[in-house]
Short mmCIF file of all heavy atoms in Angstrom, two decimals:
data_model
loop_
_atom_site.label_atom_id
_atom_site.label_comp_id
_atom_site.label_asym_id
_atom_site.label_seq_id
_atom_site.Cartn_x
_atom_site.Cartn_y
_atom_site.Cartn_z
N ARG A 27 0.83 -1.20 0.00
CA ARG A 27 0.00 0.00 0.00
C ARG A 27 0.86 1.24 0.00
O ARG A 27 2.07 1.17 0.13
CB ARG A 27 -0.91 0.01 1.22
CG ARG A 27 -1.86 -1.16 1.18
CD ARG A 27 -2.74 -1.15 2.39
NE ARG A 27 -3.57 -2.33 2.34
CZ ARG A 27 -4.81 -2.36 2.69
NH1 ARG A 27 -5.39 -1.29 3.15
NH2 ARG A 27 -5.49 -3.47 2.62
N ASN A 28 0.22 2.40 -0.10
CA ASN A 28 0.99 3.64 -0.13
C ASN A 28 1.36 4.15 1.26
O ASN A 28 2.18 5.03 1.39
CB ASN A 28 0.26 4.72 -0.92
CG ASN A 28 -1.08 5.06 -0.32
OD1 ASN A 28 -1.59 4.34 0.51
ND2 ASN A 28 -1.66 6.16 -0.75
N ILE A 29 0.78 3.61 2.32
CA ILE A 29 1.15 3.96 3.69
C ILE A 29 1.46 2.65 4.42
O ILE A 29 0.65 1.73 4.41
CB ILE A 29 0.01 4.70 4.42
CG1 ILE A 29 -0.26 6.03 3.75
CG2 ILE A 29 0.37 4.90 5.89
CD1 ILE A 29 -1.44 6.78 4.31
N THR A 30 2.62 2.58 5.03
CA THR A 30 3.03 1.36 5.71
C THR A 30 3.45 1.69 7.13
O THR A 30 4.20 2.63 7.36
CB THR A 30 4.21 0.70 4.98
OG1 THR A 30 3.80 0.39 3.65
CG2 THR A 30 4.65 -0.57 5.66
N LEU A 31 2.96 0.92 8.08
CA LEU A 31 3.36 1.03 9.49
C LEU A 31 4.19 -0.18 9.83
O LEU A 31 3.85 -1.30 9.44
CB LEU A 31 2.14 1.07 10.40
CG LEU A 31 1.17 2.23 10.21
CD1 LEU A 31 -0.05 2.03 11.08
CD2 LEU A 31 1.84 3.53 10.51
N ILE A 32 5.25 0.04 10.56
CA ILE A 32 6.06 -1.07 11.05
C ILE A 32 5.76 -1.19 12.53
O ILE A 32 6.01 -0.27 13.30
CB ILE A 32 7.56 -0.81 10.82
CG1 ILE A 32 7.81 -0.70 9.32
CG2 ILE A 32 8.38 -1.93 11.43
CD1 ILE A 32 9.22 -0.30 8.98
N ARG A 33 5.21 -2.33 12.91
CA ARG A 33 4.87 -2.52 14.31
C ARG A 33 5.23 -3.94 14.71
O ARG A 33 5.35 -4.84 13.88
CB ARG A 33 3.40 -2.25 14.57
CG ARG A 33 2.46 -3.19 13.88
CD ARG A 33 1.04 -2.84 14.14
NE ARG A 33 0.27 -4.08 14.21
CZ ARG A 33 -1.01 -4.13 14.41
NH1 ARG A 33 -1.69 -3.02 14.60
NH2 ARG A 33 -1.62 -5.28 14.45
N GLY A 34 5.40 -4.13 15.99
CA GLY A 34 5.75 -5.45 16.50
C GLY A 34 6.11 -5.36 17.96
O GLY A 34 6.12 -4.28 18.56
N ASP A 35 6.43 -6.50 18.51
CA ASP A 35 6.79 -6.57 19.92
C ASP A 35 8.13 -5.87 20.17
O ASP A 35 8.90 -5.61 19.25
CB ASP A 35 6.89 -8.03 20.37
CG ASP A 35 5.54 -8.72 20.38
OD1 ASP A 35 4.53 -8.02 20.54
OD2 ASP A 35 5.50 -9.95 20.22
N SER A 36 8.39 -5.62 21.41
CA SER A 36 9.64 -5.01 21.82
C SER A 36 10.81 -5.91 21.44
O SER A 36 10.71 -7.14 21.49
CB SER A 36 9.61 -4.82 23.34
OG SER A 36 10.78 -4.23 23.78
N ALA A 37 11.92 -5.28 21.02
CA ALA A 37 13.17 -5.99 20.70
C ALA A 37 13.05 -6.91 19.50
O ALA A 37 13.67 -7.96 19.45
CB ALA A 37 13.66 -6.75 21.92
N THR A 38 12.27 -6.51 18.49
CA THR A 38 12.15 -7.33 17.28
C THR A 38 12.88 -6.73 16.09
O THR A 38 12.86 -7.31 15.01
CB THR A 38 10.67 -7.56 16.90
OG1 THR A 38 10.02 -6.31 16.74
CG2 THR A 38 9.96 -8.39 17.95
N GLY A 39 13.52 -5.56 16.24
CA GLY A 39 14.35 -5.00 15.19
C GLY A 39 13.78 -3.83 14.42
O GLY A 39 14.32 -3.44 13.39
N LYS A 40 12.70 -3.24 14.90
CA LYS A 40 12.08 -2.10 14.19
C LYS A 40 13.03 -0.91 14.11
O LYS A 40 13.24 -0.34 13.04
CB LYS A 40 10.78 -1.69 14.87
CG LYS A 40 9.71 -2.77 14.88
CD LYS A 40 8.47 -2.33 15.64
CE LYS A 40 8.71 -1.97 17.07
NZ LYS A 40 9.05 -3.06 17.97
N THR A 41 13.63 -0.54 15.22
CA THR A 41 14.55 0.59 15.24
C THR A 41 15.82 0.28 14.45
O THR A 41 16.35 1.14 13.76
CB THR A 41 14.90 0.97 16.70
OG1 THR A 41 13.69 1.28 17.38
CG2 THR A 41 15.83 2.16 16.75
N THR A 42 16.29 -0.94 14.52
CA THR A 42 17.47 -1.34 13.75
C THR A 42 17.20 -1.22 12.26
O THR A 42 18.05 -0.73 11.51
CB THR A 42 17.88 -2.78 14.11
OG1 THR A 42 18.14 -2.84 15.52
CG2 THR A 42 19.11 -3.20 13.35
N LEU A 43 16.03 -1.65 11.82
CA LEU A 43 15.66 -1.52 10.41
C LEU A 43 15.63 -0.06 10.01
O LEU A 43 16.21 0.32 8.98
CB LEU A 43 14.29 -2.16 10.16
CG LEU A 43 13.70 -1.97 8.78
CD1 LEU A 43 14.59 -2.58 7.71
CD2 LEU A 43 12.29 -2.55 8.71
N TYR A 44 15.03 0.79 10.80
CA TYR A 44 14.98 2.22 10.52
C TYR A 44 16.39 2.81 10.46
O TYR A 44 16.72 3.58 9.56
CB TYR A 44 14.15 2.95 11.58
CG TYR A 44 14.20 4.43 11.43
CD1 TYR A 44 13.39 5.07 10.50
CD2 TYR A 44 15.08 5.20 12.17
CE1 TYR A 44 13.46 6.45 10.33
CE2 TYR A 44 15.15 6.56 12.01
CZ TYR A 44 14.33 7.19 11.10
OH TYR A 44 14.40 8.53 10.92
N ASP A 45 17.23 2.46 11.42
CA ASP A 45 18.60 2.97 11.44
C ASP A 45 19.39 2.55 10.21
O ASP A 45 20.18 3.32 9.67
CB ASP A 45 19.31 2.53 12.71
CG ASP A 45 18.79 3.21 13.97
OD1 ASP A 45 18.11 4.26 13.84
OD2 ASP A 45 19.05 2.68 15.07
N MET A 46 19.20 1.32 9.76
CA MET A 46 19.91 0.83 8.57
C MET A 46 19.48 1.60 7.33
O MET A 46 20.32 1.99 6.51
CB MET A 46 19.66 -0.67 8.38
CG MET A 46 20.38 -1.54 9.38
SD MET A 46 19.93 -3.28 9.26
CE MET A 46 20.58 -3.72 7.67
N ILE A 47 18.19 1.84 7.18
CA ILE A 47 17.69 2.59 6.02
C ILE A 47 18.18 4.03 6.07
O ILE A 47 18.61 4.60 5.07
CB ILE A 47 16.15 2.52 5.95
CG1 ILE A 47 15.71 1.09 5.64
CG2 ILE A 47 15.61 3.48 4.90
CD1 ILE A 47 14.23 0.85 5.77
N SER A 48 18.18 4.62 7.26
CA SER A 48 18.66 5.98 7.43
C SER A 48 20.14 6.09 7.09
O SER A 48 20.58 7.02 6.41
CB SER A 48 18.40 6.44 8.86
OG SER A 48 18.91 7.73 9.07
N LEU A 49 20.92 5.15 7.56
CA LEU A 49 22.36 5.13 7.28
C LEU A 49 22.62 5.00 5.78
O LEU A 49 23.48 5.69 5.23
CB LEU A 49 23.03 3.98 8.04
CG LEU A 49 24.53 3.88 7.96
CD1 LEU A 49 25.19 5.10 8.58
CD2 LEU A 49 25.00 2.61 8.65
N ALA A 50 21.88 4.14 5.11
CA ALA A 50 22.03 3.97 3.66
C ALA A 50 21.65 5.24 2.91
O ALA A 50 22.28 5.61 1.93
CB ALA A 50 21.19 2.79 3.18
N ALA A 51 20.62 5.93 3.39
CA ALA A 51 20.19 7.17 2.73
C ALA A 51 21.24 8.28 2.90
O ALA A 51 21.47 9.06 1.98
CB ALA A 51 18.85 7.63 3.30
N ARG A 52 21.88 8.34 4.06
CA ARG A 52 22.88 9.37 4.33
C ARG A 52 24.21 9.10 3.65
O ARG A 52 24.83 10.00 3.10
CB ARG A 52 23.12 9.52 5.83
CG ARG A 52 22.09 10.38 6.52
CD ARG A 52 22.44 10.61 7.97
NE ARG A 52 22.00 9.40 8.69
CZ ARG A 52 22.73 8.76 9.59
NH1 ARG A 52 23.91 9.18 9.93
NH2 ARG A 52 22.26 7.69 10.19
N ASN A 53 24.69 7.85 3.70
CA ASN A 53 26.04 7.53 3.27
C ASN A 53 26.13 6.73 1.97
O ASN A 53 27.24 6.43 1.54
CB ASN A 53 26.78 6.79 4.38
CG ASN A 53 26.91 7.62 5.63
OD1 ASN A 53 26.93 8.83 5.58
ND2 ASN A 53 26.99 6.96 6.77
N GLY A 54 25.01 6.31 1.43
CA GLY A 54 25.02 5.57 0.17
C GLY A 54 25.80 4.26 0.27
O GLY A 54 25.71 3.54 1.25
N ASP A 55 26.60 3.96 -0.75
CA ASP A 55 27.35 2.71 -0.80
C ASP A 55 28.39 2.59 0.31
O ASP A 55 28.78 1.50 0.70
CB ASP A 55 28.04 2.55 -2.15
CG ASP A 55 27.04 2.32 -3.28
OD1 ASP A 55 25.92 1.87 -3.00
OD2 ASP A 55 27.40 2.60 -4.44
N ASN A 56 28.87 3.72 0.82
CA ASN A 56 29.87 3.70 1.89
C ASN A 56 29.31 3.22 3.23
O ASN A 56 30.06 2.97 4.15
CB ASN A 56 30.48 5.09 2.07
CG ASN A 56 31.29 5.51 0.88
OD1 ASN A 56 31.83 4.67 0.16
ND2 ASN A 56 31.35 6.81 0.62
N SER A 57 27.99 3.11 3.35
CA SER A 57 27.37 2.70 4.61
C SER A 57 27.50 1.21 4.88
O SER A 57 27.39 0.77 6.02
CB SER A 57 25.89 3.08 4.61
OG SER A 57 25.19 2.29 3.66
N GLY A 58 27.70 0.41 3.84
CA GLY A 58 27.74 -1.04 4.02
C GLY A 58 26.36 -1.65 4.06
O GLY A 58 26.21 -2.84 4.33
N VAL A 59 25.33 -0.86 3.81
CA VAL A 59 23.95 -1.32 3.83
C VAL A 59 23.41 -1.30 2.40
O VAL A 59 23.55 -0.32 1.70
CB VAL A 59 23.06 -0.44 4.74
CG1 VAL A 59 21.62 -0.91 4.70
CG2 VAL A 59 23.59 -0.44 6.15
N LYS A 60 22.81 -2.42 2.00
CA LYS A 60 22.16 -2.49 0.68
C LYS A 60 20.66 -2.36 0.86
O LYS A 60 20.07 -3.03 1.71
CB LYS A 60 22.43 -3.83 0.01
CG LYS A 60 23.73 -3.95 -0.66
CD LYS A 60 23.73 -5.26 -1.46
CE LYS A 60 25.11 -5.61 -1.93
NZ LYS A 60 25.13 -6.90 -2.60
N VAL A 61 20.04 -1.50 0.08
CA VAL A 61 18.58 -1.38 0.06
C VAL A 61 18.13 -1.63 -1.36
O VAL A 61 18.50 -0.91 -2.27
CB VAL A 61 18.12 0.02 0.55
CG1 VAL A 61 16.61 0.12 0.49
CG2 VAL A 61 18.62 0.30 1.95
#
């Protein structure tokens, strides 16, 4: 869909996923993260 919510129990990786996408957006290929 055009709006997506990421939800789940505590300690399931939601913030880690967000941080990885943010790092890739800021640093591109130098981040070590592929999107």
